Amino acid sequence: MENFFPDQRWTSAGEPELGVGIVTETSKGRVKLHFPLADEVRQYTVENAPLRRVVFKPGDAIADKDKRPLVVERVEADGHLFIYIGQGRQLSEADLGDVTVKHGVDDRLFMGDVDTPELFALRRKTLYYDHNRRISPINGFVGGRIDLIPHQLYIAHEVSARHAPRVLLSDQVGLGKTIEACLILHRLLLTGRISRVLILVPDSLVHQWFVEMLRRFNLWFHIYDEVRCASLDGGAPDGNPFLDDQLIICSTSFLAGSQVRASQALSAGWDMLVVDEAHHLEWSVDKVSPEYGIVELLSRVAKGLLLLTATPEQLGVESHFARLRLLDPDRYADYDTFKNESQDYKAIANVVEALSSGKPLQAANTQLLESMFGKERIAALAKGGEVAKNNLIEDLLDQHGPGRVVFRNTRSAMTGFPKRIAHLVPIKAAEQPDLWAQRLSQEYALDSEKSATDGPLQKFWFEEDPRVSWLVKLMKKLKPAKAVLICRSKEKVLALEEAIGKLSGIKVGVFHEDLTIVQRDRNAAWFAEPDGARLLLCSEIGSEGRNFQFAHHLILFDLPAHPELLEQRIGRLDRIGQTEDIQIHVPYLTGSPQEVLVRWFHEGLNAFEENLEGGNQLAQLFGERLKEATQSVGSPEADRHLASLIADTAAFQQDLKKMLANGRDRLLEMNSFRPAVAKKLVEQIGEADLDTSLEKYMVQVFHHFSIDMEDLGPRTYLLHPTQANKYKFPSLPDEGISVTFDRKRALAREDMSFISWDHPMATGAMDLVLSDGAGAASYGVLRGTGESAILLEVLFVLETSGGKSIHVDRFLPATPLRVVVDHSGEDVTDDYPTELFDQQLRPGQIDDMLENDTLVDVILPNMIKAATALAEELRADEILNGLQQMRLTMDHEIGRLTALHAKNENVRPEEIELALEERAKLSSLIKDARIRMDAVQLVREGD
């Protein structure tokens, strides 16, 4: 472990483009450096900081802070700093000015410290793969362990392309708002545009979000509560625990209930704030809840904001306005003005629908279009064909106000959803019916407690329970099909597992909240295997965040009283991507409270067979009456009260459906999903999935670093680190890890890591190759060409300094420049392609070459000088291309935003200002890009 002290100079092995960094602070196991060239600050943990000490050697030219040059003659140590002596004066390391460090790959060559051509080729390949990854339009989208759902990818693409995005994601249940948010975060984090993220969720969803981010996107968020904060108070930077980690999840109620923690979170600074279940934040013109208050304060200090909420139609206008004012309080300042605005969009929706369906435009529609775009454009519409019509539709959608900040897809506009088929199973106790009615009433009462662990310990009689007997018969009847059973508590899951084991030979897996993530993944994988578990027993909490689309039978062993909980249970199988109709089995004992719930859900809401919305409203309106009905089972008035409750519920449900249908914002739905854009993204990711380049590359890297690989199946391996190399791949556990390069297999086997270009193992492998110095200097012999020559292959990297926050990689990522020169300095790159060297270059002994003084003192330095000059010419071309691409993209975006701002108040002036500032910064960064010699290979051609 290195020791760090203020004013020392270091470089980053992982980010050499940052230049020379200066240690500014060391405390509590961390070291902070400022990199003047990039004007960036980095903080590292001392234990594994990827830093190299900068020590200039005799002959190097350096300068002090006043830019006075000094040629180093000798170097001495003075405490923790170096003193550079030369030309009759001394210069302390602390007083160094702007200096650059030579990475010394040519020095390695001259010293004979060379690697094999194979290792040089690996480095070359790494540079190009890293470049292609960074510039890829699907960077950040390809690595999620997800099905490729077009509307999710479209929203993620659209939002992540924005400057400091602040949007509301309000897709209907089952369409994947969480996946959309995760995709956005993943892309922004991987491209370096954000680094600090705070996710606020209800208490019950904290673990679900943690699992989702880790299991699907390999992002390790830290869960914050009072216990964790208290443990960090003493050692965190500035005494603020929220500065100790970059990626944090905590419950909204935790911050709302602690003024101290809320203040710390506010002062920590965030690139992105994500708020799930935002419709639960209570706000009215007259009253603001504590939860809404803390989110509002955080939304003002966070650069970006993602709000995830139920569909606005079911929220009501006032509640929807409350979400929008979090996104942009200046734009949404007045509630009455907002209420009047939405009427203006219906006419535009009618026009877009007419254009999309090919129907002739009515006179009123034509007049509206002419007022917006001018008579000439509308007159030319017929002549322009499909292209002109599609461009007009795009412009109309762009100018639709909330479309800039609100995204909403609905099931009615989507395809791919299965049917729900309910199988209601009334069961009569053959013996002692009164006793079983009493037992199940007690079971329901305990299930209804606020927490499954509240109240007395539950007792079960599942070996005798008629529901369990029915379950065993059902599984025999369904064989070989698999089924998911969901019930209230972990205790019930374990008791069912024990009873089923005694009554049958059915293979049973369990899923509950006390299992670790690894155990859950393994149990889910066993359930997914063809010869694995046929029945998966899940508790309510334990199954959160898990989707089992490959199963088509759902058994609701008991029922929750809250409609939203029921919809969440069914949503484990009823997801977009489900391939078959879902068979929902609902067993219940006649005369029990469960029968009341079954009838209310089925007869009043049709909740088993239709997607249910407005669950909270239903619970608030009918919750007390439902509770009374379950408690009065068997009383003389029970049937009449239940019939009345069902009738009132059904009437309200019909009114709610009409309100939702009438309130649908068709234009907003069109703007939330543009199929052509989404189709292209899906195709690009699909092509990346089928490309085996990554797999071949990773096999080569693992072989180089002596990672044992065992074939488990097509594109699937078991990796084992050795004790000697474990530190190089810290993500590999001692017992090994199963990985696959196949998306379908990864979706079916959650215990396997899905390796893509986005995966930390792939990006870490590239960083390891490049920072390790592997292949940076090489010597080889080229035979079989019929020629005789001395060649020098030099790999330069064109780099910008900084600019991650504005994603300069879109236009000029770290770009490898390959140059091959002969002994006279002539450019022969085209004559010696990489394929020729990879196939025919063999290792050789460089000693004889280095004994030739003329070669070492004259020819090689001249070859390096010539190669550098050629690289400078390539640099100019790449910079010109980068500037052109940047201007084309940014000028189009700025022009679009400016035009939209004139017609659409939802386009914030800040967006235009940010875009202008970004264009200027990008131009400066690209123009100032420098080349760095990364690797050099000496080649002797001839037999």
Side-chain angles (χ1 to χ4, degrees):
M1 186 173 69
E2 300 283 359
N3 292 317
F4 298 91
F5 297 91
D7 292 325
Q8 289 179 339
R9 266 54 172 179
W10 297 77
T11 58
S12 168
E15 297 178 284
E17 69 275 10
L18 294 176
V20 176
I22 305 169
V23 176
T24 58
E25 184 181 332
T26 60
S27 64
K28 299 170 183 175
R30 289 176 169 79
V31 57
K32 185 181 291 186
L33 280 81
H34 174 240
F35 294 87
L37 178 64
D39 194 23
E40 298 267 1
V41 174
R42 294 285 188 272
Q43 182 169 277
Y44 308 92
T45 56
V46 170
E47 188 176 358
N48 56 8
L51 299 171
R52 294 175 179 162
R53 185 73 188 276
V54 173
V55 185
F56 294 101
K57 60 182 183 295
D60 287 341
I62 57 177
D64 62 16
K65 293 177 180 177
D66 296 323
K67 298 184 179 180
R68 292 183 299 172
L70 181 143
V71 177
V72 178
E73 295 174 2
R74 72 177 192 274
V75 184
E76 295 180 356
D78 181 18
H80 303 299
L81 301 177
F82 290 112
I83 301 294
Y84 297 104
I85 302 168
Q87 299 170 303
R89 64 191 183 96
Q90 297 184 355
L91 178 59
S92 170
E93 185 176 2
D95 298 320
L96 284 172
D98 292 336
V99 291
T100 58
V101 59
K102 186 177 180 181
H103 285 260
V105 295
D106 52 343
D107 292 339
R108 282 187 57 185
L109 182 68
F110 288 130
M111 291 187 295
D113 179 17
V114 292
D115 295 316
T116 63
E118 181 183 13
L119 203 49
F120 182 89
L122 177 62
R123 187 176 191 86
R124 185 204 301 127
K125 190 183 294 184
T126 302
L127 288 170
Y128 280 98
Y129 280 152
D130 189 46
H131 170 265
N132 293 337
R133 176 187 68 84
R134 291 174 184 272
I135 207 167
S136 169
I138 55 173
N139 184 17
F141 295 154
V142 73
R145 189 199 295 263
I146 58 171
D147 285 308
L148 304 181
I149 308 299
H151 76 270
Q152 295 175 352
L153 289 166
Y154 171 74
I155 288 177
H157 165 79
E158 172 65 21
V159 174
S160 62
R162 296 201 184 162
H163 314 278
R166 298 177 71 87
V167 299
L168 186 149
L169 305 178
S170 57
D171 284 357
Q172 279 185 327
V173 173
L175 291 183
K177 293 186 290 287
T178 305
I179 294 296
E180 290 164 5
C182 291
L183 278 166
I184 293 165
L185 291 177
H186 194 230
R187 178 165 172 81
L188 294 177
L189 284 165
L190 255 65
T191 55
R193 292 171 59 197
I194 62 173
S195 58
R196 290 188 51 74
V197 180
L198 175 63
I199 299 177
L200 295 181
V201 300
D203 296 86
S204 62
L205 297 182
V206 168
H207 185 265
Q208 177 180 330
W209 267 87
F210 174 80
V211 171
E212 200 83 347
M213 298 303 299
L214 179 60
R215 187 170 49 86
R216 291 188 182 274
F217 293 93
N218 302 291
L219 293 174
W220 188 285
F221 275 74
H222 298 266
I223 297 175
Y224 270 45
D225 53 19
E226 182 54 39
V227 173
R228 181 173 178 85
C229 287
S231 70
L232 294 173
D233 277 337
D238 299 329
N240 185 344
F242 288 91
L243 291 174
D244 199 67
D245 294 301
Q246 298 285 79
L247 307 177
I248 293 174
I249 297 174
C250 68
S251 71
T252 312
S253 61
F254 166 55
L255 290 186
S258 172
Q259 188 173 352
V260 172
R261 301 309 181 194
S263 176
Q264 290 172 331
L266 284 167
S267 64
W270 305 100
D271 298 320
M272 181 65 72
L273 172 67
V274 182
V275 183
D276 195 10
E277 301 285 319
H279 51 284
H280 290 319
L281 304 175
E282 296 177 10
W283 179 93
S284 68
V285 175
D286 304 316
K287 185 180 178 182
V288 177
S289 70
E291 288 78 11
Y292 187 97
I294 183 59
V295 170
E296 182 175 18
L297 292 172
L298 283 165
S299 71
R300 292 175 182 172
V301 299
K303 297 173 185 175
L305 175 63
L306 300 180
L307 297 179
L308 283 66
T309 180
T311 52
E313 296 99 334
Q314 74 189 72
L315 296 174
V317 177
E318 186 177 58
S319 185
H320 184 40
F321 174 75
R323 285 352 100 193
L324 294 177
R325 67 186 294 273
L326 292 173
L327 298 170
D328 189 349
D330 296 327
R331 164 70 181 87
Y332 298 100
D334 183 71
Y335 175 56
D336 292 327
T337 303
F338 170 73
K339 281 196 298 184
N340 297 326
E341 277 182 357
S342 59
Q343 300 302 316
D344 301 337
Y345 303 131
K346 292 184 178 179
I348 298 176
N350 292 331
V351 174
V352 172
E353 286 197 343
L355 287 169
S356 300
S357 61
K359 296 177 182 178
L361 293 174
Q362 297 179 357
N365 291 340
T366 302
Q367 290 176 3
L368 176 63
L369 289 174
E370 288 176 348
S371 68
M372 296 175 69
F373 300 106
K375 291 185 178 181
E376 290 184 9
R377 180 174 180 183
I378 304 308
L381 186 62
K383 299 177 183 178
E386 285 295 312
V387 174
K389 184 181 76 173
N390 289 336
N391 287 340
L392 183 62
I393 291 173
E394 291 287 309
D395 288 343
L396 282 166
L397 292 175
D398 237 354
Q399 292 176 17
H400 173 48
R404 288 293 298 172
V405 294
V406 179
F407 290 87
R408 177 163 78 260
N409 287 293
T410 61
R411 288 179 177 236
S412 58
M414 297 282 114
T415 59
F417 282 96
K419 291 181 181 178
R420 297 179 178 180
I421 301 173
H423 304 272
L424 308 184
V425 186
I427 298 174
K428 293 183 178 180
E431 299 177 4
Q432 299 179 302
D434 292 339
L435 175 62
W436 279 106
Q438 178 185 345
R439 285 174 173 177
L440 291 192
S441 294
Q442 182 183 5
E443 179 185 320
Y444 175 74
L446 291 172
D447 282 350
S448 300
E449 296 285 347
K450 184 177 180 182
S451 168
T453 58
D454 287 346
L457 186 67
Q458 278 188 286
K459 185 175 181 180
F460 305 104
W461 297 266
F462 285 153
E463 291 177 44
E464 309 161 27
D465 195 318
R467 293 173 300 172
V468 178
S469 300
W470 164 85
L471 174 61
V472 172
K473 292 175 183 176
L474 175 70
M475 292 306 298
K476 289 179 180 178
K477 180 181 177 182
L478 294 179
K479 191 174 182 179
K482 296 174 181 286
V484 175
L485 182 150
I486 301 180
C487 59
R488 175 70 179 94
S489 66
K490 174 198 70 176
E491 289 75 18
K492 194 177 288 189
V493 163
L494 296 175
L496 276 170
E497 180 189 25
E498 182 180 356
I500 294 169
K502 292 179 179 178
L503 296 174
S504 74
I506 300 169
K507 292 181 181 179
V508 176
V510 296
F511 225 78
H512 58 76
E513 55 270 28
D514 284 357
L515 296 177
T516 66
I517 294 173
V518 172
Q519 288 172 319
R520 293 188 210 193
D521 283 346
R522 287 175 177 166
N523 289 0
W526 186 46
F527 182 55
E529 288 290 339
D531 60 345
R534 286 189 54 230
L535 178 63
L536 186 66
L537 306 177
C538 301
S539 68
E540 192 101 63
I541 298 174
S543 63
E544 285 179 346
R546 297 284 177 156
N547 304 319
F548 301 105
Q549 289 103 316
F550 57 85
H552 316 299
H553 290 271
L554 175 65
I555 301 167
L556 299 175
F557 191 78
D558 54 30
L559 290 175
H562 200 295
E564 281 202 351
L565 284 177
L566 175 64
E567 189 60 38
Q568 285 175 14
R569 285 192 183 188
I570 299 174
R572 301 280 74 82
L573 272 66
D574 183 16
R575 316 287 298 182
I576 193 164
Q578 171 64 265
T579 58
E580 295 185 20
D581 291 342
I582 303 167
Q583 311 296 326
I584 302 176
H585 306 271
V586 189
Y588 62 92
L589 193 74
T590 55
S592 71
Q594 287 286 334
E595 182 179 13
V596 173
L597 287 178
V598 169
R599 290 190 59 192
W600 184 67
F601 277 126
H602 187 59
E603 298 172 32
L605 298 170
N606 197 23
F608 299 118
E609 297 195 329
E610 288 185 2
N611 174 249
L612 186 64
E613 291 194 85
N616 279 318
Q617 280 180 286
L618 290 164
Q620 289 171 5
L621 285 171
F622 300 107
E624 280 302 315
R625 290 176 64 185
L626 180 64
K627 183 178 180 181
E628 291 172 5
T630 59
Q631 292 174 343
S632 62
V633 173
S635 69
E637 297 294 314
D639 288 343
R640 186 174 63 83
H641 288 160
L642 179 57
S644 173
L645 171 63
I646 289 172
D648 292 346
T649 303
F652 177 82
Q653 176 73 346
Q654 289 303 313
D655 291 340
L656 181 63
K657 281 185 178 180
K658 289 179 183 178
M659 183 189 77
L660 293 175
N662 294 333
R664 272 186 61 205
D665 192 329
R666 294 162 295 157
L667 195 57
L668 186 55
E669 290 172 18
M670 295 177 207
N671 199 30
S672 297
F673 178 44
R674 304 191 188 183
V677 176
K679 182 182 178 184
K680 186 175 181 181
L681 287 168
V682 171
E683 288 174 350
Q684 289 173 323
I685 297 173
E687 290 171 4
D689 285 349
L690 295 175
D691 188 352
T692 58
S693 299
L694 172 63
E695 183 180 357
K696 293 174 182 175
Y697 170 74
M698 292 300 290
V699 168
Q700 192 175 355
V701 171
F702 290 140
H703 175 72
H704 170 67
F705 288 107
S706 301
I707 300 294
D708 294 333
M709 299 185 69
E710 177 186 339
D711 281 339
L712 296 179
R715 308 194 69 190
T716 304
Y717 306 89
L718 177 64
L719 306 180
H720 273 292
T722 62
Q723 201 60 39
N725 59 22
K726 187 181 185 308
Y727 73 97
K728 291 190 175 180
F729 285 91
S731 61
L732 295 182
D734 291 337
E735 66 272 18
I737 187 172
S738 299
V739 303
T740 183
F741 295 85
D742 181 84
R743 182 180 297 274
K744 288 183 179 178
R745 190 167 182 83
L747 287 168
R749 290 289 303 268
E750 293 180 349
D751 59 329
M752 290 183 173
S753 292
F754 174 45
I755 307 299
S756 70
W757 289 113
D758 289 347
H759 194 280
M761 197 177 292
T763 56
M766 288 187 282
D767 289 342
L768 184 59
V769 170
L770 297 178
S771 63
D772 192 56
S778 172
Y779 173 71
V781 179
L782 183 64
R783 295 190 172 95
T785 63
E787 301 291 336
S788 179
I790 299 295
L791 306 170
L792 193 69
E793 179 182 10
V794 189
L795 300 177
F796 296 90
V797 179
L798 176 61
E799 297 169 327
T800 56
S801 298
K804 275 194 173 183
S805 61
I806 54 173
H807 198 191
V808 70
D809 280 359
R810 289 172 291 171
F811 312 112
L812 190 64
T815 303
L817 306 174
R818 178 177 181 263
V819 176
V820 182
V821 295
D822 61 16
H823 65 279
S824 64
E826 289 295 314
D827 182 6
V828 292
T829 307
D830 293 340
D831 298 330
Y832 294 91
T834 57
E835 294 80 10
L836 175 65
F837 280 178
D838 289 348
Q839 292 170 9
Q840 296 183 225
L841 206 55
R842 298 292 180 266
Q845 295 296 320
I846 196 175
D847 298 354
D848 291 343
M849 300 287 286
L850 296 181
E851 289 175 2
N852 185 326
D853 293 341
T854 302
L855 177 68
V856 173
D857 296 337
V858 180
I859 297 177
L860 278 179
N862 286 339
M863 293 172 78
I864 292 173
K865 185 177 180 181
T868 304
L870 290 168
E872 287 290 351
E873 294 176 13
L874 295 174
R875 167 186 175 272
D877 292 340
E878 291 291 339
I879 286 176
L880 183 60
N881 290 335
L883 285 171
Q884 288 175 343
Q885 288 295 319
M886 183 274 293
R887 287 167 181 159
L888 188 67
T889 301
M890 296 302 299
D891 288 352
H892 175 268
E893 179 67 8
I894 291 167
R896 173 173 168 266
L897 289 173
T898 303
L900 283 174
H901 180 61
K903 301 176 182 179
N904 185 347
E905 292 185 8
N906 284 274
V907 178
R908 297 176 289 143
E910 292 86 349
E911 280 194 83
I912 301 173
E913 293 169 11
L914 281 169
L916 289 167
E917 292 174 9
E918 185 171 312
R919 182 178 63 182
K921 182 73 182 292
L922 284 167
S923 180
S924 175
L925 286 168
I926 293 171
K927 287 178 181 177
D928 293 340
R930 304 181 184 186
I931 59 169
R932 171 178 59 82
M933 186 188 300
D934 183 84
V936 59
Q937 178 165 246
L938 181 62
V939 176
R940 179 172 66 80
E941 184 180 19
D943 296 325

